[in-house]
Amino acid sequence: MTNDISRRGLLLLLLAVVLIWFGNLEYRKLIRPDEGRYAEIPREMVVSGDWTTPRLNELKYFEKPPLQYWATAVAYEVFGEHQWTSRIWAALTGFAGILLAWFTGARLFGREAGIYAALLLGSSMLYAMMSHINTLDMGVTFFISLGLFSLLLAQKEDQVAVRRNWMLLAWAGLALAVLSKGLMGLVLPGAALFLYSVFNRDITVWKRMHWFSGLLLFSLIAVPWFVLVIKANPEFFQRFFIYEHFERFTTKVHGRFQPWYYFVPILLLGMMPWTMLMFDTLLRSWRGSVRKVKVFSPERFLLVWAVFVYLFFSVSDSKLPSYLLPIFPALALLMGKQLAEMKARRLFWLTIPSLVVVAILLGLAPFADRTADTPLQHQMYSEYSVWLVIAAAFWLVSVIAALWLLRRDSKMIAVVVLAFSSLIAAQAGVSGYNTIARERSSYIIADAIKPLIKPDVPFYSVFCYEQTLPFYLKRTFTLVDYQDEMDFGIKMEPERWIPSVELLAKRWSAQAEAYAIVPTPLLYILQQQGIAMKEIYRDEQYVVVSKP
C-alpha cells in the first residue's frame, strides 16, 4: 500500500492542524508564575511606551532579552490584551517549527521524511504542550532550529551564492535566538558545531560560515538592543551576563536544582508516543556515525546536537522541563528520516510500548484527586480527571487503530492517526487544566474586585505577588515585605516598595483610600498592626481589603 500523500491531502492536514493548534489559546486562564509574568511585562511596555527596559510590576527586570515581550506587545496593540494574545508568540513559533521541520526534512532527506518529521514534532507531548503555555522556551527553540537547519541546508549547496544566503539566514536565526533568551542562542549551537568538527575530524564547515557578512548581520540584529539597554541601565551588564548566565548554570542561585537524572522521565514522556522510535533512531544514527564520511553529515550533526544539549542541561544546576525543547526539532528530523526508510512492521513493534503507557495513564487518570490536600483541590482534581480520562481513552483507541493500520502496511495513515490523536490528547490535557486554574490563577479575584477598584488608588501586595493579577486588573502593585525575583529591581529603585508592615501601617493611615492583598493565613499580622480595613474578597489563598 502506498505511503505517499497528495498535495490536497497535505493541505487538508495543515488546515486541521491549524484549527487544533490555535483553537484553545483563549480558553484556558493564565497560570502563575510564568504565564502571568510573560503576559504582564509586555502589557507594561505598552502602557509605559518604554520598549527598551523590561519591567515587571514597574521594577526593572533583566532576566531575559525582549524579543518575545516585543512580539506580545505588538499583539496587544493590534488585537487587544487577551489570554490568546499573551500566548500567540509561543503558539506561532511552535507551529512555525513544525513547518520548518517539514521543509528541512524534505530538502535534506526527501519528501516523505519531511512529512514524517513535521508529524512527529507537532505530536510529541512536551513540544505540543509547551507550544500552548506562555514561556520563552518555544521562541528560542524555533530560532535556534532556524539557525541550525539553515546551516545544514547551506552545507549541501555547491553554489556559493546559494550557500551564502542560507548561512545569512542561519546567522539571523541565531541572532533572534539571542534576543529570545540570551547567549544560549549562540553558545550552544557553536559548542555543538565544535564537537561535531572534533568527532568528525573535519573543519571544512568552519570555512563555509561566511564569517564577515554573517557576523555583520548577526550584530545588526542582536547588538542594538543591548547597546540601548546598557546605556539606559549600566547595571544591566552584571545582572544579565554574569548573574543570569554564568551563575544560573554553575550555581543553585535560582532554586531550580534537580538531580542529574531529572530529564530522563521528561524525555521519555515528553517524546510520547514516539519514545521507542526515538531510541531506535538514536541507536541507528550512532551506529551510522561510526562510519567515516568525507562530507558534512547532517545526521551526525543532529545527533551531536541532541546528545550535547541533553547532557549540558543535565549537568546544569538549573533545570526546568522546557529546557529540553531545543533537541526536539533535531530528533524529529532524524526520526523522520528513519521512519521514511522503515517498514510498517518494525514501526508496529516500536509502537506497542506506547499502547502500554497510554493504557496505564488511562488507568491512573480517574484517581487524580488522590493527590489533593484540601477539599477545594479534591473538587478541582476530580473535575480535571474527567478531562484526563477522555483524553487518555481517545488516545488509547487511536493507538489501537494505528497499530491495526500498521498491520495492514498503511504506514503513512497510521502515523497521521497516531500524530493527530496525540496532539488532540495533549490539547485536551492542557485545556482541562483550566479546571484547577482557581488555585493557580487570580482571574476569580480580579472578576470579584474589579468593579470596586479605582485605578488611581494605591494597591499594596503584602507578603506576596500574585503573578496573574496585574494582567487581569490592568494595573501594578506596591510590594510590601516581599521581593522574590524582583529583588534586583527593588535594589535599583527602593522607593518603589515598602520593606515592612510597620511602614505600611503608617502610609495606610495617611491615605484617604487604599487597597491591599495578603495571603489569608497572614492577615492577622495586619490586624496586629491595628490597620483599619474592610474585607472585599476572601478565599482559601488570599484576602483583599480596603480602607473602611
Side-chain angles (χ1 to χ4, degrees):
M1 184 173 294
T2 179
N3 282 309
D4 199 4
I5 187 168
S6 66
R7 181 182 296 270
R8 181 181 180 185
L10 276 177
L11 291 176
L12 291 175
L13 287 178
L14 182 62
L15 177 61
V17 171
V18 169
L19 294 175
I20 298 170
W21 196 264
F22 295 100
N24 69 336
L25 290 181
E26 179 64 20
Y27 174 76
R28 184 172 50 82
K29 304 301 181 183
L30 298 182
I31 300 297
R32 66 173 183 260
D34 287 355
E35 289 205 309
R37 179 194 307 118
Y38 296 128
E40 174 63 11
I41 293 173
R43 190 195 71 82
E44 294 185 30
M45 277 188 170
V46 172
V47 171
S48 68
D50 182 0
W51 291 47
T52 300
T53 303
R55 289 180 177 271
L56 177 62
N57 198 47
E58 297 187 5
L59 295 164
K60 294 180 179 181
Y61 191 80
F62 295 150
E63 273 205 14
K64 300 295 185 294
L67 183 59
Q68 182 160 328
Y69 306 153
W70 291 342
T72 306
V74 170
Y76 288 166
E77 293 273 41
V78 176
F79 301 108
E81 295 170 8
H82 309 287
Q83 290 162 166
W84 74 268
T85 48
S86 75
R87 296 185 177 113
I88 191 63
W89 186 246
L92 282 174
T93 51
F95 184 74
I98 297 173
L99 299 180
L100 180 64
W102 164 75
F103 177 83
T104 308
R107 290 289 295 262
L108 291 177
F109 308 127
R111 182 175 185 270
E112 187 178 347
I115 295 172
Y116 282 136
L119 289 170
L120 299 177
L121 180 60
S123 59
S124 299
M125 276 289 122
L126 184 65
Y127 189 91
M129 288 182 170
M130 292 307 301
S131 293
H132 298 85
I133 299 174
N134 186 8
T135 71
L136 307 184
D137 298 285
M138 190 52 65
V140 73
T141 294
F142 170 73
F143 288 115
I144 286 178
S145 299
L146 178 64
L148 295 180
F149 291 1
S150 297
L151 170 69
L152 300 184
L153 294 172
Q155 301 312 306
K156 69 184 291 290
E157 294 291 344
D158 294 325
Q159 297 183 30
V160 175
V162 177
R163 185 170 68 245
R164 182 194 65 238
N165 291 339
W166 281 117
M167 282 309 307
L168 290 178
L169 183 58
W171 284 107
L174 297 183
L176 292 170
V178 169
L179 282 178
S180 295
K181 209 176 177 185
L183 295 180
M184 66 169 288
L186 182 63
V187 172
L188 294 186
L193 189 60
F194 171 77
L195 291 174
Y196 167 85
S197 299
V198 171
F199 295 147
N200 213 40
R201 298 179 182 178
D202 178 20
I203 62 171
T204 304
V205 62
W206 295 91
K207 301 176 182 179
R208 297 157 64 94
M209 296 290 287
H210 293 270
W211 289 99
F212 179 79
S213 56
L215 286 172
L216 178 62
L217 179 61
F218 178 93
S219 301
L220 289 174
I221 295 173
V223 171
W225 175 75
F226 286 100
V227 172
L228 291 174
V229 74
I230 290 174
K231 182 179 180 181
N233 309 275
E235 66 275 18
F236 173 87
F237 184 89
Q238 193 282 333
R239 180 69 178 187
F240 182 80
F241 289 106
I242 306 302
Y243 182 83
E244 291 295 342
H245 284 77
F246 179 75
E247 292 185 13
R248 175 185 289 268
F249 179 76
T250 60
T251 71
K252 303 176 180 62
V253 67
H254 283 77
R256 296 169 180 171
F257 175 75
Q258 299 291 345
W260 65 267
Y261 52 83
Y262 172 79
F263 287 117
V264 173
I266 291 172
L267 182 61
L268 294 179
L269 293 176
M271 190 54 73
M272 280 286 293
W274 315 109
T275 306
M276 294 308 297
L277 174 62
M278 175 192 68
F279 283 123
D280 182 77
T281 298
L282 289 174
L283 180 60
R284 289 171 178 264
S285 298
W286 173 260
R287 289 174 177 172
S289 70
V290 175
R291 296 191 295 269
K292 186 175 179 63
V293 293
K294 296 182 179 180
V295 295
F296 184 83
S297 171
E299 299 96 317
R300 187 174 295 185
F301 176 78
L302 292 170
L303 178 64
V304 170
W305 167 256
V307 174
F308 165 68
V309 172
Y310 180 88
L311 294 177
F312 178 87
F313 286 115
S314 292
V315 301
S316 169
D317 281 328
S318 181
K319 297 183 180 70
L320 287 175
S322 55
Y323 289 0
L324 280 191
L325 281 175
I327 74 174
F328 275 64
L331 290 174
L333 283 190
L334 289 173
M335 291 189 295
K337 178 180 183 295
Q338 185 68 26
L339 192 52
E341 301 168 353
M342 183 180 293
K343 298 293 184 182
R345 183 174 181 82
R346 181 169 183 82
L347 181 59
F348 173 88
W349 292 110
L350 292 174
T351 307
I352 289 289
S354 295
L355 177 67
V356 176
V357 173
V358 175
I360 293 174
L361 293 176
L362 178 58
L364 295 175
F367 305 104
D369 60 335
R370 299 289 180 88
T371 61
D373 295 322
T374 66
L376 177 61
Q377 286 182 345
H378 187 276
Q379 176 189 347
M380 293 187 300
Y381 295 177
S382 296
E383 294 172 0
Y384 189 32
S385 68
V386 175
W387 285 81
L388 296 177
V389 167
I390 293 173
F394 172 76
W395 200 9
L396 181 66
V397 171
S398 300
V399 174
I400 294 173
L403 290 171
W404 179 79
L405 288 166
L406 289 171
R407 292 290 291 179
R408 294 174 60 86
D409 205 32
S410 300
K411 184 174 66 172
M412 177 65 77
I413 300 176
V415 172
V416 170
V417 169
L418 194 53
F420 270 78
S421 65
S422 301
L423 175 58
I424 292 171
Q427 288 287 63
V430 171
S431 298
Y433 198 80
N434 209 43
T435 58
I436 59 178
R438 283 173 288 175
E439 189 178 43
R440 299 197 60 193
S441 182
S442 64
Y443 71 97
I444 293 179
I445 302 176
D447 289 344
I449 69 174
K450 191 177 293 185
L452 309 174
I453 301 297
K454 299 177 183 178
D456 56 343
V457 174
F459 203 140
Y460 301 100
S461 186
V462 187
F463 308 132
C464 66
Y465 179 70
E466 215 305 331
Q467 290 274 14
T468 62
L469 191 56
F471 177 82
Y472 284 120
L473 286 182
K474 311 302 180 188
R475 64 167 300 159
T476 57
F477 301 86
T478 299
L479 298 179
V480 179
D481 198 4
Y482 185 84
Q483 297 188 39
D484 196 51
E485 63 181 333
M486 289 166 284
D487 61 338
F488 173 78
I490 290 171
K491 291 176 183 176
M492 295 300 103
E493 299 172 302
E495 70 278 5
R496 292 183 179 271
W497 87 305
I498 300 176
S500 69
V501 176
E502 291 78 11
L503 292 175
L504 169 66
K506 294 179 181 180
R507 186 176 298 190
W508 184 275
S509 63
Q511 292 170 328
E513 295 180 282
Y515 312 106
I517 181 172
V518 59
T520 302
L522 301 180
L523 178 63
Y524 77 93
I525 300 178
L526 272 64
Q527 294 168 336
Q528 290 176 344
Q529 292 295 319
I531 296 178
M533 54 191 172
K534 176 181 67 175
E535 288 189 14
I536 60 177
Y537 178 86
R538 173 188 283 264
D539 63 20
E540 293 83 354
Q541 298 183 80
Y542 297 105
V543 175
V544 182
V545 299
S546 67
K547 291 200 69 170

